[in-house]
PDB file of all heavy atoms in Angstrom:
ATOM      1  N   PRO A  26     -56.237 -15.135  -5.815  1.00  0.00           N
ATOM      2  CA  PRO A  26     -56.975 -13.861  -5.903  1.00  0.00           C
ATOM      3  C   PRO A  26     -56.627 -13.193  -7.229  1.00  0.00           C
ATOM      4  O   PRO A  26     -55.602 -13.566  -7.866  1.00  0.00           O
ATOM      5  CB  PRO A  26     -56.441 -13.096  -4.776  1.00  0.00           C
ATOM      6  CG  PRO A  26     -55.823 -14.073  -3.789  1.00  0.00           C
ATOM      7  CD  PRO A  26     -55.326 -15.173  -4.625  1.00  0.00           C
ATOM      8  N   PRO A  27     -57.428 -12.270  -7.698  1.00  0.00           N
ATOM      9  CA  PRO A  27     -57.190 -11.642  -8.988  1.00  0.00           C
ATOM     10  C   PRO A  27     -55.769 -11.098  -9.139  1.00  0.00           C
ATOM     11  O   PRO A  27     -55.118 -11.115 -10.200  1.00  0.00           O
ATOM     12  CB  PRO A  27     -58.221 -10.543  -9.096  1.00  0.00           C
ATOM     13  CG  PRO A  27     -59.346 -11.076  -8.209  1.00  0.00           C
ATOM     14  CD  PRO A  27     -58.667 -11.784  -7.106  1.00  0.00           C
ATOM     15  N   GLU A  28     -55.258 -10.526  -7.973  1.00  0.00           N
ATOM     16  CA  GLU A  28     -53.884  -9.926  -7.985  1.00  0.00           C
ATOM     17  C   GLU A  28     -52.783 -11.024  -7.876  1.00  0.00           C
ATOM     18  O   GLU A  28     -51.627 -10.692  -8.009  1.00  0.00           O
ATOM     19  CB  GLU A  28     -53.739  -8.909  -6.866  1.00  0.00           C
ATOM     20  CG  GLU A  28     -53.740  -9.517  -5.508  1.00  0.00           C
ATOM     21  CD  GLU A  28     -55.105  -9.802  -4.894  1.00  0.00           C
ATOM     22  OE1 GLU A  28     -56.144  -9.689  -5.647  1.00  0.00           O
ATOM     23  OE2 GLU A  28     -55.237 -10.088  -3.687  1.00  0.00           O
ATOM     24  N   GLY A  29     -53.189 -12.250  -7.707  1.00  0.00           N
ATOM     25  CA  GLY A  29     -52.222 -13.352  -7.535  1.00  0.00           C
ATOM     26  C   GLY A  29     -51.718 -13.511  -6.149  1.00  0.00           C
ATOM     27  O   GLY A  29     -52.172 -12.838  -5.183  1.00  0.00           O
ATOM     28  N   ILE A  30     -50.782 -14.479  -5.923  1.00  0.00           N
ATOM     29  CA  ILE A  30     -50.157 -14.638  -4.685  1.00  0.00           C
ATOM     30  C   ILE A  30     -48.635 -14.483  -4.834  1.00  0.00           C
ATOM     31  O   ILE A  30     -48.096 -14.812  -5.878  1.00  0.00           O
ATOM     32  CB  ILE A  30     -50.447 -16.087  -4.048  1.00  0.00           C
ATOM     33  CG1 ILE A  30     -49.979 -17.170  -5.042  1.00  0.00           C
ATOM     34  CG2 ILE A  30     -51.951 -16.231  -3.703  1.00  0.00           C
ATOM     35  CD1 ILE A  30     -50.028 -18.550  -4.443  1.00  0.00           C
ATOM     36  N   THR A  31     -48.035 -13.871  -3.817  1.00  0.00           N
ATOM     37  CA  THR A  31     -46.554 -13.689  -3.848  1.00  0.00           C
ATOM     38  C   THR A  31     -46.050 -14.298  -2.595  1.00  0.00           C
ATOM     39  O   THR A  31     -46.526 -14.023  -1.433  1.00  0.00           O
ATOM     40  CB  THR A  31     -46.222 -12.231  -3.907  1.00  0.00           C
ATOM     41  OG1 THR A  31     -46.773 -11.655  -5.115  1.00  0.00           O
ATOM     42  CG2 THR A  31     -44.701 -11.989  -3.901  1.00  0.00           C
ATOM     43  N   ALA A  32     -45.022 -15.179  -2.740  1.00  0.00           N
ATOM     44  CA  ALA A  32     -44.488 -15.817  -1.527  1.00  0.00           C
ATOM     45  C   ALA A  32     -43.087 -16.417  -1.846  1.00  0.00           C
ATOM     46  O   ALA A  32     -42.706 -16.528  -3.005  1.00  0.00           O
ATOM     47  CB  ALA A  32     -45.379 -17.007  -1.146  1.00  0.00           C
ATOM     48  N   GLU A  33     -42.341 -16.699  -0.808  1.00  0.00           N
ATOM     49  CA  GLU A  33     -41.058 -17.364  -0.951  1.00  0.00           C
ATOM     50  C   GLU A  33     -41.272 -18.838  -1.282  1.00  0.00           C
ATOM     51  O   GLU A  33     -42.291 -19.469  -0.923  1.00  0.00           O
ATOM     52  CB  GLU A  33     -40.243 -17.297   0.357  1.00  0.00           C
ATOM     53  CG  GLU A  33     -39.697 -15.900   0.601  1.00  0.00           C
ATOM     54  CD  GLU A  33     -38.696 -15.896   1.796  1.00  0.00           C
ATOM     55  OE1 GLU A  33     -38.183 -16.985   2.142  1.00  0.00           O
ATOM     56  OE2 GLU A  33     -38.543 -14.844   2.389  1.00  0.00           O
ATOM     57  N   VAL A  34     -40.297 -19.416  -1.959  1.00  0.00           N
ATOM     58  CA  VAL A  34     -40.357 -20.784  -2.425  1.00  0.00           C
ATOM     59  C   VAL A  34     -39.543 -21.631  -1.438  1.00  0.00           C
ATOM     60  O   VAL A  34     -38.424 -21.269  -1.051  1.00  0.00           O
ATOM     61  CB  VAL A  34     -39.761 -20.931  -3.845  1.00  0.00           C
ATOM     62  CG1 VAL A  34     -39.752 -22.385  -4.298  1.00  0.00           C
ATOM     63  CG2 VAL A  34     -40.598 -20.083  -4.834  1.00  0.00           C
ATOM     64  N   VAL A  35     -40.114 -22.803  -1.144  1.00  0.00           N
ATOM     65  CA  VAL A  35     -39.388 -23.855  -0.429  1.00  0.00           C
ATOM     66  C   VAL A  35     -39.407 -25.123  -1.275  1.00  0.00           C
ATOM     67  O   VAL A  35     -40.419 -25.416  -1.828  1.00  0.00           O
ATOM     68  CB  VAL A  35     -39.944 -24.066   1.022  1.00  0.00           C
ATOM     69  CG1 VAL A  35     -41.435 -24.503   0.970  1.00  0.00           C
ATOM     70  CG2 VAL A  35     -39.134 -25.152   1.789  1.00  0.00           C
ATOM     71  N   GLU A  36     -38.295 -25.763  -1.380  1.00  0.00           N
ATOM     72  CA  GLU A  36     -38.168 -26.937  -2.308  1.00  0.00           C
ATOM     73  C   GLU A  36     -38.130 -28.209  -1.511  1.00  0.00           C
ATOM     74  O   GLU A  36     -37.422 -28.350  -0.510  1.00  0.00           O
ATOM     75  CB  GLU A  36     -36.877 -26.780  -3.139  1.00  0.00           C
ATOM     76  CG  GLU A  36     -36.757 -27.934  -4.154  1.00  0.00           C
ATOM     77  CD  GLU A  36     -35.453 -27.769  -4.938  1.00  0.00           C
ATOM     78  OE1 GLU A  36     -34.508 -27.073  -4.450  1.00  0.00           O
ATOM     79  OE2 GLU A  36     -35.371 -28.378  -6.050  1.00  0.00           O
ATOM     80  N   VAL A  37     -38.880 -29.232  -2.001  1.00  0.00           N
ATOM     81  CA  VAL A  37     -38.787 -30.600  -1.468  1.00  0.00           C
ATOM     82  C   VAL A  37     -38.815 -31.610  -2.587  1.00  0.00           C
ATOM     83  O   VAL A  37     -39.214 -31.261  -3.715  1.00  0.00           O
ATOM     84  CB  VAL A  37     -39.961 -30.885  -0.490  1.00  0.00           C
ATOM     85  CG1 VAL A  37     -39.940 -29.905   0.686  1.00  0.00           C
ATOM     86  CG2 VAL A  37     -41.302 -30.824  -1.216  1.00  0.00           C
ATOM     87  N   SER A  38     -38.381 -32.764  -2.317  1.00  0.00           N
ATOM     88  CA  SER A  38     -38.363 -33.835  -3.362  1.00  0.00           C
ATOM     89  C   SER A  38     -39.198 -35.046  -2.984  1.00  0.00           C
ATOM     90  O   SER A  38     -39.210 -36.015  -3.682  1.00  0.00           O
ATOM     91  CB  SER A  38     -36.948 -34.258  -3.663  1.00  0.00           C
ATOM     92  OG  SER A  38     -36.291 -34.702  -2.525  1.00  0.00           O
ATOM     93  N   SER A  39     -39.886 -34.945  -1.833  1.00  0.00           N
ATOM     94  CA  SER A  39     -40.765 -36.051  -1.393  1.00  0.00           C
ATOM     95  C   SER A  39     -41.794 -35.528  -0.395  1.00  0.00           C
ATOM     96  O   SER A  39     -41.609 -34.483   0.183  1.00  0.00           O
ATOM     97  CB  SER A  39     -39.925 -37.214  -0.811  1.00  0.00           C
ATOM     98  OG  SER A  39     -39.438 -36.768   0.468  1.00  0.00           O
ATOM     99  N   LEU A  40     -42.815 -36.345  -0.214  1.00  0.00           N
ATOM    100  CA  LEU A  40     -43.850 -35.967   0.786  1.00  0.00           C
ATOM    101  C   LEU A  40     -43.275 -36.111   2.192  1.00  0.00           C
ATOM    102  O   LEU A  40     -43.649 -35.355   3.090  1.00  0.00           O
ATOM    103  CB  LEU A  40     -45.047 -36.894   0.619  1.00  0.00           C
ATOM    104  CG  LEU A  40     -45.789 -36.751  -0.733  1.00  0.00           C
ATOM    105  CD1 LEU A  40     -47.002 -37.705  -0.737  1.00  0.00           C
ATOM    106  CD2 LEU A  40     -46.249 -35.298  -1.009  1.00  0.00           C
ATOM    107  N   GLU A  41     -42.318 -36.994   2.383  1.00  0.00           N
ATOM    108  CA  GLU A  41     -41.660 -37.136   3.665  1.00  0.00           C
ATOM    109  C   GLU A  41     -40.790 -35.945   4.002  1.00  0.00           C
ATOM    110  O   GLU A  41     -40.779 -35.428   5.115  1.00  0.00           O
ATOM    111  CB  GLU A  41     -40.801 -38.435   3.646  1.00  0.00           C
ATOM    112  CG  GLU A  41     -41.534 -39.734   3.594  1.00  0.00           C
ATOM    113  CD  GLU A  41     -42.086 -40.004   2.203  1.00  0.00           C
ATOM    114  OE1 GLU A  41     -41.634 -39.378   1.227  1.00  0.00           O
ATOM    115  OE2 GLU A  41     -43.028 -40.874   2.098  1.00  0.00           O
ATOM    116  N   GLU A  42     -40.106 -35.410   2.944  1.00  0.00           N
ATOM    117  CA  GLU A  42     -39.312 -34.205   3.203  1.00  0.00           C
ATOM    118  C   GLU A  42     -40.222 -33.007   3.507  1.00  0.00           C
ATOM    119  O   GLU A  42     -39.872 -32.126   4.369  1.00  0.00           O
ATOM    120  CB  GLU A  42     -38.486 -33.929   1.931  1.00  0.00           C
ATOM    121  CG  GLU A  42     -37.438 -32.820   2.090  1.00  0.00           C
ATOM    122  CD  GLU A  42     -36.613 -32.704   0.882  1.00  0.00           C
ATOM    123  OE1 GLU A  42     -36.554 -33.619  -0.003  1.00  0.00           O
ATOM    124  OE2 GLU A  42     -35.979 -31.570   0.730  1.00  0.00           O
ATOM    125  N   LEU A  43     -41.391 -32.980   2.830  1.00  0.00           N
ATOM    126  CA  LEU A  43     -42.330 -31.850   3.158  1.00  0.00           C
ATOM    127  C   LEU A  43     -42.752 -31.939   4.636  1.00  0.00           C
ATOM    128  O   LEU A  43     -42.742 -30.911   5.309  1.00  0.00           O
ATOM    129  CB  LEU A  43     -43.551 -32.026   2.240  1.00  0.00           C
ATOM    130  CG  LEU A  43     -44.702 -31.049   2.494  1.00  0.00           C
ATOM    131  CD1 LEU A  43     -44.319 -29.635   2.093  1.00  0.00           C
ATOM    132  CD2 LEU A  43     -45.955 -31.499   1.761  1.00  0.00           C
ATOM    133  N   ALA A  44     -43.123 -33.136   5.078  1.00  0.00           N
ATOM    134  CA  ALA A  44     -43.560 -33.296   6.439  1.00  0.00           C
ATOM    135  C   ALA A  44     -42.478 -32.856   7.419  1.00  0.00           C
ATOM    136  O   ALA A  44     -42.795 -32.320   8.511  1.00  0.00           O
ATOM    137  CB  ALA A  44     -43.994 -34.711   6.702  1.00  0.00           C
ATOM    138  N   ALA A  45     -41.205 -33.164   7.102  1.00  0.00           N
ATOM    139  CA  ALA A  45     -40.154 -32.875   8.029  1.00  0.00           C
ATOM    140  C   ALA A  45     -39.894 -31.348   8.195  1.00  0.00           C
ATOM    141  O   ALA A  45     -39.281 -30.919   9.160  1.00  0.00           O
ATOM    142  CB  ALA A  45     -38.874 -33.579   7.529  1.00  0.00           C
ATOM    143  N   LEU A  46     -40.361 -30.527   7.227  1.00  0.00           N
ATOM    144  CA  LEU A  46     -40.135 -29.093   7.302  1.00  0.00           C
ATOM    145  C   LEU A  46     -40.983 -28.429   8.354  1.00  0.00           C
ATOM    146  O   LEU A  46     -40.681 -27.312   8.807  1.00  0.00           O
ATOM    147  CB  LEU A  46     -40.381 -28.469   5.922  1.00  0.00           C
ATOM    148  CG  LEU A  46     -39.325 -28.717   4.862  1.00  0.00           C
ATOM    149  CD1 LEU A  46     -39.741 -28.080   3.532  1.00  0.00           C
ATOM    150  CD2 LEU A  46     -37.902 -28.235   5.300  1.00  0.00           C
ATOM    151  N   GLY A  47     -42.059 -29.056   8.697  1.00  0.00           N
ATOM    152  CA  GLY A  47     -42.927 -28.485   9.731  1.00  0.00           C
ATOM    153  C   GLY A  47     -43.411 -27.087   9.399  1.00  0.00           C
ATOM    154  O   GLY A  47     -43.950 -26.783   8.319  1.00  0.00           O
ATOM    155  N   ASP A  48     -43.227 -26.147  10.351  1.00  0.00           N
ATOM    156  CA  ASP A  48     -43.776 -24.769  10.241  1.00  0.00           C
ATOM    157  C   ASP A  48     -43.103 -23.962   9.148  1.00  0.00           C
ATOM    158  O   ASP A  48     -43.613 -22.905   8.719  1.00  0.00           O
ATOM    159  CB  ASP A  48     -43.590 -24.066  11.543  1.00  0.00           C
ATOM    160  CG  ASP A  48     -44.614 -24.507  12.607  1.00  0.00           C
ATOM    161  OD1 ASP A  48     -45.541 -25.218  12.230  1.00  0.00           O
ATOM    162  OD2 ASP A  48     -44.388 -24.226  13.815  1.00  0.00           O
ATOM    163  N   ARG A  49     -41.919 -24.468   8.636  1.00  0.00           N
ATOM    164  CA  ARG A  49     -41.262 -23.713   7.596  1.00  0.00           C
ATOM    165  C   ARG A  49     -41.989 -23.713   6.278  1.00  0.00           C
ATOM    166  O   ARG A  49     -41.672 -22.990   5.343  1.00  0.00           O
ATOM    167  CB  ARG A  49     -39.818 -24.290   7.352  1.00  0.00           C
ATOM    168  CG  ARG A  49     -38.867 -23.973   8.472  1.00  0.00           C
ATOM    169  CD  ARG A  49     -37.539 -24.619   8.264  1.00  0.00           C
ATOM    170  NE  ARG A  49     -37.518 -26.009   8.461  1.00  0.00           N
ATOM    171  CZ  ARG A  49     -36.547 -26.865   8.201  1.00  0.00           C
ATOM    172  NH1 ARG A  49     -35.437 -26.355   7.658  1.00  0.00           N
ATOM    173  NH2 ARG A  49     -36.667 -28.149   8.478  1.00  0.00           N
TER     174      ARG A  49
END
């Protein structure tokens, strides 16, 4: 959006690690 997005960062190093985070 014109005003941008603001959010917390979550870090992963693989697609498998991303999948394991689930709802987080």
Side-chain angles (χ1 to χ4, degrees):
E28 68 278 10
I30 58 170
T31 299
E33 288 189 20
V34 178
V35 59
E36 181 182 23
V37 299
S38 58
S39 69
L40 298 180
E41 293 76 16
E42 189 176 341
L43 174 71
L46 287 178
D48 288 345
R49 286 178 288 172

